[in-house]
Short mmCIF file of all heavy atoms in Angstrom, two decimals:
data_model
loop_
_atom_site.label_atom_id
_atom_site.label_comp_id
_atom_site.label_asym_id
_atom_site.label_seq_id
_atom_site.Cartn_x
_atom_site.Cartn_y
_atom_site.Cartn_z
N MET A 54 3.44 9.54 15.20
CA MET A 54 3.35 8.79 13.96
C MET A 54 3.54 9.71 12.76
O MET A 54 2.98 10.80 12.69
CB MET A 54 1.97 8.11 13.86
CG MET A 54 1.79 7.25 12.62
SD MET A 54 0.11 6.55 12.54
CE MET A 54 0.13 5.47 13.96
N HIS A 55 4.39 9.27 11.81
CA HIS A 55 4.64 10.00 10.58
C HIS A 55 4.48 9.04 9.41
O HIS A 55 4.81 7.85 9.52
CB HIS A 55 6.07 10.56 10.56
CG HIS A 55 6.37 11.53 11.65
ND1 HIS A 55 6.31 12.89 11.47
CD2 HIS A 55 6.71 11.34 12.95
CE1 HIS A 55 6.61 13.50 12.60
NE2 HIS A 55 6.86 12.58 13.52
N SER A 56 3.98 9.53 8.27
CA SER A 56 3.88 8.69 7.08
C SER A 56 5.26 8.24 6.66
O SER A 56 6.20 9.04 6.60
CB SER A 56 3.21 9.46 5.94
OG SER A 56 1.86 9.72 6.24
N ALA A 57 5.41 6.95 6.35
CA ALA A 57 6.70 6.40 5.96
C ALA A 57 6.86 6.35 4.45
O ALA A 57 7.95 6.16 3.93
CB ALA A 57 6.86 4.99 6.53
N THR A 58 5.78 6.55 3.71
CA THR A 58 5.82 6.47 2.25
C THR A 58 5.12 7.68 1.66
O THR A 58 4.34 8.35 2.33
CB THR A 58 5.16 5.18 1.73
OG1 THR A 58 3.79 5.16 2.17
CG2 THR A 58 5.88 3.95 2.25
N GLN A 59 5.39 7.94 0.38
CA GLN A 59 4.68 9.01 -0.34
C GLN A 59 4.44 8.56 -1.77
O GLN A 59 5.27 7.89 -2.37
CB GLN A 59 5.49 10.30 -0.32
CG GLN A 59 6.87 10.19 -0.96
CD GLN A 59 7.60 11.50 -0.95
OE1 GLN A 59 6.98 12.56 -0.92
NE2 GLN A 59 8.94 11.46 -0.99
N SER A 60 3.28 8.89 -2.28
CA SER A 60 2.97 8.54 -3.66
C SER A 60 3.50 9.60 -4.60
O SER A 60 3.33 10.80 -4.37
CB SER A 60 1.45 8.41 -3.84
OG SER A 60 1.11 8.25 -5.20
N LYS A 61 4.17 9.17 -5.67
CA LYS A 61 4.65 10.07 -6.69
C LYS A 61 3.87 9.89 -8.00
O LYS A 61 4.34 10.22 -9.06
CB LYS A 61 6.15 9.88 -6.92
CG LYS A 61 6.98 10.30 -5.72
CD LYS A 61 8.45 10.41 -6.04
CE LYS A 61 9.22 10.97 -4.86
NZ LYS A 61 10.67 11.13 -5.17
N GLU A 62 2.67 9.35 -7.84
CA GLU A 62 1.79 9.17 -9.00
C GLU A 62 1.44 10.53 -9.61
O GLU A 62 1.16 11.49 -8.90
CB GLU A 62 0.51 8.45 -8.53
CG GLU A 62 -0.52 8.25 -9.62
CD GLU A 62 -1.80 7.63 -9.07
OE1 GLU A 62 -1.83 7.28 -7.88
OE2 GLU A 62 -2.76 7.51 -9.85
N LEU A 63 1.50 10.59 -10.92
CA LEU A 63 1.14 11.83 -11.62
C LEU A 63 -0.36 12.02 -11.59
O LEU A 63 -1.11 11.10 -11.92
CB LEU A 63 1.64 11.79 -13.07
CG LEU A 63 3.16 11.67 -13.26
CD1 LEU A 63 3.50 11.68 -14.74
CD2 LEU A 63 3.89 12.79 -12.54
N ARG A 64 -0.79 13.20 -11.20
CA ARG A 64 -2.22 13.47 -11.09
C ARG A 64 -2.64 14.46 -12.18
O ARG A 64 -2.00 15.50 -12.36
CB ARG A 64 -2.58 14.01 -9.70
CG ARG A 64 -2.20 13.05 -8.58
CD ARG A 64 -2.69 13.55 -7.23
NE ARG A 64 -2.32 12.65 -6.16
CZ ARG A 64 -3.01 11.55 -5.84
NH1 ARG A 64 -4.11 11.26 -6.50
NH2 ARG A 64 -2.62 10.77 -4.86
N PHE A 65 -3.71 14.13 -12.86
CA PHE A 65 -4.21 14.98 -13.94
C PHE A 65 -5.38 15.83 -13.45
O PHE A 65 -6.06 15.48 -12.48
CB PHE A 65 -4.67 14.13 -15.13
CG PHE A 65 -3.55 13.42 -15.83
CD1 PHE A 65 -3.16 12.16 -15.46
CD2 PHE A 65 -2.88 14.05 -16.87
CE1 PHE A 65 -2.11 11.51 -16.09
CE2 PHE A 65 -1.84 13.41 -17.53
CZ PHE A 65 -1.46 12.13 -17.13
N HIS A 66 -5.60 16.96 -14.12
CA HIS A 66 -6.72 17.85 -13.82
C HIS A 66 -7.74 17.75 -14.96
O HIS A 66 -7.37 17.49 -16.11
CB HIS A 66 -6.23 19.30 -13.70
CG HIS A 66 -5.27 19.52 -12.58
ND1 HIS A 66 -5.64 19.84 -11.30
CD2 HIS A 66 -3.92 19.43 -12.55
CE1 HIS A 66 -4.58 19.96 -10.53
NE2 HIS A 66 -3.52 19.70 -11.27
N PHE A 67 -8.99 17.97 -14.63
CA PHE A 67 -10.03 18.00 -15.64
C PHE A 67 -10.26 19.46 -16.08
O PHE A 67 -10.41 20.34 -15.24
CB PHE A 67 -11.34 17.40 -15.12
CG PHE A 67 -11.26 15.91 -14.95
CD1 PHE A 67 -11.00 15.36 -13.70
CD2 PHE A 67 -11.44 15.07 -16.03
CE1 PHE A 67 -10.92 13.98 -13.55
CE2 PHE A 67 -11.37 13.70 -15.88
CZ PHE A 67 -11.11 13.15 -14.64
N LEU A 68 -10.23 19.68 -17.40
CA LEU A 68 -10.37 21.02 -17.97
C LEU A 68 -11.47 21.04 -19.01
O LEU A 68 -11.84 20.00 -19.58
CB LEU A 68 -9.05 21.47 -18.64
CG LEU A 68 -7.76 21.30 -17.84
CD1 LEU A 68 -6.57 21.68 -18.71
CD2 LEU A 68 -7.78 22.15 -16.57
N HIS A 69 -11.99 22.24 -19.29
CA HIS A 69 -12.94 22.39 -20.38
C HIS A 69 -12.16 22.31 -21.70
O HIS A 69 -11.13 22.97 -21.87
CB HIS A 69 -13.67 23.73 -20.29
CG HIS A 69 -14.89 23.80 -21.16
ND1 HIS A 69 -14.81 23.95 -22.53
CD2 HIS A 69 -16.21 23.70 -20.86
CE1 HIS A 69 -16.03 23.95 -23.04
NE2 HIS A 69 -16.89 23.80 -22.04
N LYS A 70 -12.63 21.51 -22.65
CA LYS A 70 -11.85 21.25 -23.86
C LYS A 70 -11.72 22.47 -24.76
O LYS A 70 -10.79 22.54 -25.58
CB LYS A 70 -12.46 20.11 -24.65
CG LYS A 70 -13.83 20.39 -25.24
CD LYS A 70 -14.32 19.22 -26.04
CE LYS A 70 -15.67 19.51 -26.69
NZ LYS A 70 -16.15 18.36 -27.50
N ASP A 71 -12.60 23.48 -24.62
CA ASP A 71 -12.54 24.65 -25.50
C ASP A 71 -11.44 25.63 -25.12
O ASP A 71 -10.73 26.15 -25.98
CB ASP A 71 -13.90 25.37 -25.53
CG ASP A 71 -14.97 24.54 -26.21
OD1 ASP A 71 -14.62 23.65 -27.01
OD2 ASP A 71 -16.16 24.77 -25.91
N ASP A 72 -11.28 25.92 -23.80
CA ASP A 72 -10.31 26.92 -23.40
C ASP A 72 -9.37 26.43 -22.28
O ASP A 72 -8.60 27.21 -21.72
CB ASP A 72 -11.00 28.20 -22.94
CG ASP A 72 -12.02 27.94 -21.84
OD1 ASP A 72 -12.07 26.78 -21.33
OD2 ASP A 72 -12.76 28.87 -21.49
N LEU A 73 -9.42 25.13 -21.97
CA LEU A 73 -8.53 24.52 -20.97
C LEU A 73 -8.63 25.17 -19.60
O LEU A 73 -7.63 25.28 -18.87
CB LEU A 73 -7.07 24.53 -21.46
CG LEU A 73 -6.78 23.78 -22.76
CD1 LEU A 73 -5.30 23.79 -23.06
CD2 LEU A 73 -7.31 22.37 -22.71
N GLN A 74 -9.83 25.59 -19.22
CA GLN A 74 -10.04 26.12 -17.88
C GLN A 74 -10.42 24.98 -16.92
O GLN A 74 -11.17 24.08 -17.31
CB GLN A 74 -11.14 27.19 -17.89
CG GLN A 74 -10.72 28.48 -18.57
CD GLN A 74 -9.48 29.09 -17.92
OE1 GLN A 74 -9.46 29.33 -16.70
NE2 GLN A 74 -8.44 29.31 -18.71
N PRO A 75 -9.89 25.02 -15.68
CA PRO A 75 -10.16 23.91 -14.74
C PRO A 75 -11.64 23.72 -14.47
O PRO A 75 -12.41 24.68 -14.39
CB PRO A 75 -9.41 24.35 -13.47
CG PRO A 75 -8.36 25.29 -13.96
CD PRO A 75 -8.96 26.02 -15.13
N ILE A 76 -12.02 22.47 -14.30
CA ILE A 76 -13.39 22.08 -13.98
C ILE A 76 -13.45 21.69 -12.52
O ILE A 76 -12.64 20.87 -12.04
CB ILE A 76 -13.86 20.91 -14.86
CG1 ILE A 76 -13.79 21.28 -16.35
CG2 ILE A 76 -15.27 20.49 -14.46
CD1 ILE A 76 -14.70 22.40 -16.74
N GLY A 77 -14.38 22.26 -11.76
CA GLY A 77 -14.54 21.91 -10.35
C GLY A 77 -15.70 20.95 -10.17
O GLY A 77 -16.45 20.66 -11.12
N TYR A 78 -15.83 20.46 -8.97
CA TYR A 78 -16.93 19.51 -8.66
C TYR A 78 -17.84 20.14 -7.63
O TYR A 78 -17.39 20.74 -6.64
CB TYR A 78 -16.37 18.19 -8.15
CG TYR A 78 -15.74 17.37 -9.26
CD1 TYR A 78 -14.40 17.51 -9.56
CD2 TYR A 78 -16.50 16.51 -10.03
CE1 TYR A 78 -13.82 16.79 -10.60
CE2 TYR A 78 -15.94 15.78 -11.06
CZ TYR A 78 -14.60 15.92 -11.33
OH TYR A 78 -14.03 15.21 -12.36
N ASP A 79 -19.13 19.99 -7.86
CA ASP A 79 -20.13 20.61 -7.00
C ASP A 79 -20.90 19.51 -6.27
O ASP A 79 -21.25 18.48 -6.85
CB ASP A 79 -21.10 21.43 -7.88
CG ASP A 79 -22.01 22.30 -7.03
OD1 ASP A 79 -21.67 22.54 -5.86
OD2 ASP A 79 -23.05 22.73 -7.56
N LYS A 80 -21.14 19.72 -4.98
CA LYS A 80 -21.96 18.79 -4.21
C LYS A 80 -23.43 19.14 -4.48
O LYS A 80 -23.86 20.27 -4.28
CB LYS A 80 -21.66 18.92 -2.72
CG LYS A 80 -20.34 18.29 -2.32
CD LYS A 80 -20.15 18.31 -0.81
CE LYS A 80 -18.96 17.51 -0.37
NZ LYS A 80 -17.69 18.01 -0.91
N VAL A 81 -24.17 18.14 -4.95
CA VAL A 81 -25.60 18.36 -5.26
C VAL A 81 -26.43 17.25 -4.63
O VAL A 81 -25.95 16.17 -4.32
CB VAL A 81 -25.83 18.37 -6.79
CG1 VAL A 81 -25.05 19.50 -7.46
CG2 VAL A 81 -25.45 17.03 -7.41
N ARG A 82 -27.72 17.58 -4.43
CA ARG A 82 -28.67 16.57 -3.95
C ARG A 82 -28.90 15.56 -5.06
O ARG A 82 -29.09 15.93 -6.23
CB ARG A 82 -29.99 17.23 -3.56
CG ARG A 82 -29.91 18.10 -2.33
CD ARG A 82 -31.28 18.74 -2.06
NE ARG A 82 -32.30 17.73 -1.89
CZ ARG A 82 -32.90 17.44 -0.73
NH1 ARG A 82 -32.52 18.10 0.36
NH2 ARG A 82 -33.82 16.52 -0.64
N LYS A 83 -28.90 14.28 -4.70
CA LYS A 83 -29.12 13.24 -5.72
C LYS A 83 -30.57 13.21 -6.21
O LYS A 83 -30.84 12.76 -7.31
CB LYS A 83 -28.71 11.88 -5.19
CG LYS A 83 -27.21 11.72 -5.03
CD LYS A 83 -26.85 10.29 -4.62
CE LYS A 83 -25.34 10.12 -4.54
NZ LYS A 83 -24.94 8.74 -4.20
N ASP A 84 -31.49 13.70 -5.35
CA ASP A 84 -32.91 13.63 -5.76
C ASP A 84 -33.31 14.82 -6.65
O ASP A 84 -34.11 14.66 -7.58
CB ASP A 84 -33.82 13.55 -4.53
CG ASP A 84 -33.59 14.69 -3.55
OD1 ASP A 84 -32.59 15.43 -3.72
OD2 ASP A 84 -34.41 14.85 -2.63
N THR A 85 -32.73 16.00 -6.39
CA THR A 85 -33.15 17.19 -7.14
C THR A 85 -32.04 17.80 -8.02
O THR A 85 -32.33 18.58 -8.91
CB THR A 85 -33.66 18.29 -6.19
OG1 THR A 85 -32.57 18.74 -5.37
CG2 THR A 85 -34.79 17.75 -5.31
N GLY A 86 -30.78 17.44 -7.72
CA GLY A 86 -29.68 18.05 -8.47
C GLY A 86 -29.32 19.44 -8.00
O GLY A 86 -28.48 20.09 -8.60
N GLU A 87 -29.93 19.91 -6.91
CA GLU A 87 -29.67 21.26 -6.40
C GLU A 87 -28.33 21.31 -5.66
O GLU A 87 -27.93 20.35 -5.02
CB GLU A 87 -30.79 21.70 -5.45
CG GLU A 87 -32.15 21.83 -6.12
CD GLU A 87 -33.23 22.18 -5.11
OE1 GLU A 87 -32.93 22.18 -3.89
OE2 GLU A 87 -34.38 22.44 -5.53
N HIS A 88 -27.66 22.47 -5.75
CA HIS A 88 -26.38 22.70 -5.07
C HIS A 88 -26.59 22.64 -3.54
O HIS A 88 -27.60 23.11 -3.02
CB HIS A 88 -25.81 24.05 -5.47
CG HIS A 88 -24.68 24.52 -4.59
ND1 HIS A 88 -23.39 24.05 -4.70
CD2 HIS A 88 -24.67 25.41 -3.54
CE1 HIS A 88 -22.63 24.63 -3.78
NE2 HIS A 88 -23.38 25.45 -3.07
N VAL A 89 -25.59 22.08 -2.83
CA VAL A 89 -25.63 22.02 -1.37
C VAL A 89 -24.34 22.64 -0.82
O VAL A 89 -23.24 22.25 -1.23
CB VAL A 89 -25.75 20.56 -0.87
CG1 VAL A 89 -25.77 20.52 0.66
CG2 VAL A 89 -26.99 19.91 -1.44
N ASP A 90 -24.48 23.61 0.08
CA ASP A 90 -23.31 24.24 0.70
C ASP A 90 -22.59 23.23 1.62
O ASP A 90 -23.25 22.40 2.26
CB ASP A 90 -23.73 25.45 1.54
CG ASP A 90 -24.21 26.60 0.66
OD1 ASP A 90 -23.68 26.74 -0.46
OD2 ASP A 90 -25.13 27.33 1.09
N PRO A 91 -21.26 23.33 1.71
CA PRO A 91 -20.50 22.40 2.56
C PRO A 91 -20.98 22.39 4.00
O PRO A 91 -20.97 21.35 4.66
CB PRO A 91 -19.06 22.94 2.46
CG PRO A 91 -19.01 23.61 1.12
CD PRO A 91 -20.38 24.23 0.94
N ASP A 92 -21.44 23.54 4.51
CA ASP A 92 -21.91 23.61 5.90
C ASP A 92 -23.19 22.81 6.11
O ASP A 92 -23.55 22.50 7.26
CB ASP A 92 -22.16 25.06 6.31
CG ASP A 92 -20.86 25.85 6.42
OD1 ASP A 92 -19.79 25.22 6.50
OD2 ASP A 92 -20.92 27.10 6.38
N ASP A 93 -23.89 22.49 5.03
CA ASP A 93 -25.14 21.74 5.15
C ASP A 93 -24.96 20.24 4.91
O ASP A 93 -25.94 19.49 4.87
CB ASP A 93 -26.17 22.29 4.14
CG ASP A 93 -26.59 23.72 4.47
OD1 ASP A 93 -26.61 24.05 5.67
OD2 ASP A 93 -26.86 24.49 3.53
N VAL A 94 -23.71 19.82 4.76
CA VAL A 94 -23.43 18.40 4.51
C VAL A 94 -23.04 17.74 5.83
O VAL A 94 -22.18 18.24 6.56
CB VAL A 94 -22.30 18.23 3.48
CG1 VAL A 94 -21.97 16.76 3.27
CG2 VAL A 94 -22.70 18.86 2.14
N VAL A 95 -23.67 16.61 6.15
CA VAL A 95 -23.33 15.86 7.35
C VAL A 95 -22.95 14.43 6.94
O VAL A 95 -23.31 13.96 5.86
CB VAL A 95 -24.51 15.80 8.36
CG1 VAL A 95 -24.85 17.19 8.84
CG2 VAL A 95 -25.73 15.13 7.74
N ARG A 96 -22.21 13.78 7.81
CA ARG A 96 -21.80 12.41 7.58
C ARG A 96 -22.82 11.47 8.20
O ARG A 96 -23.32 11.73 9.31
CB ARG A 96 -20.41 12.18 8.17
CG ARG A 96 -19.85 10.79 7.97
CD ARG A 96 -18.37 10.74 8.32
NE ARG A 96 -18.09 11.44 9.58
CZ ARG A 96 -16.86 11.55 10.07
NH1 ARG A 96 -15.83 11.05 9.41
NH2 ARG A 96 -16.67 12.16 11.22
N ALA A 97 -23.14 10.38 7.51
CA ALA A 97 -24.15 9.46 8.04
C ALA A 97 -23.82 8.03 7.60
O ALA A 97 -23.11 7.81 6.62
CB ALA A 97 -25.54 9.84 7.55
N PHE A 98 -24.34 7.08 8.35
CA PHE A 98 -24.18 5.66 8.03
C PHE A 98 -25.52 5.10 7.60
O PHE A 98 -26.55 5.37 8.22
CB PHE A 98 -23.67 4.90 9.25
CG PHE A 98 -23.47 3.44 9.01
CD1 PHE A 98 -22.32 2.97 8.37
CD2 PHE A 98 -24.43 2.51 9.39
CE1 PHE A 98 -22.14 1.62 8.13
CE2 PHE A 98 -24.26 1.16 9.15
CZ PHE A 98 -23.11 0.71 8.52
#
Side-chain angles (χ1 to χ4, degrees):
M54 182 183 294
H55 299 262
S56 292
T58 59
Q59 59 178 335
S60 172
K61 292 194 174 181
E62 177 184 355
L63 298 182
R64 301 186 181 277
F65 292 90
H66 297 271
F67 289 98
L68 311 175
H69 195 285
K70 66 178 182 179
D71 292 338
D72 55 8
L73 299 185
Q74 289 302 305
I76 301 297
Y78 287 90
D79 191 18
K80 286 185 170 62
V81 299
R82 291 178 58 109
K83 289 186 176 182
D84 55 348
T85 65
E87 296 176 353
H88 166 79
V89 179
D90 291 327
D92 292 342
D93 294 328
V94 177
V95 297
R96 181 168 45 181
F98 180 81

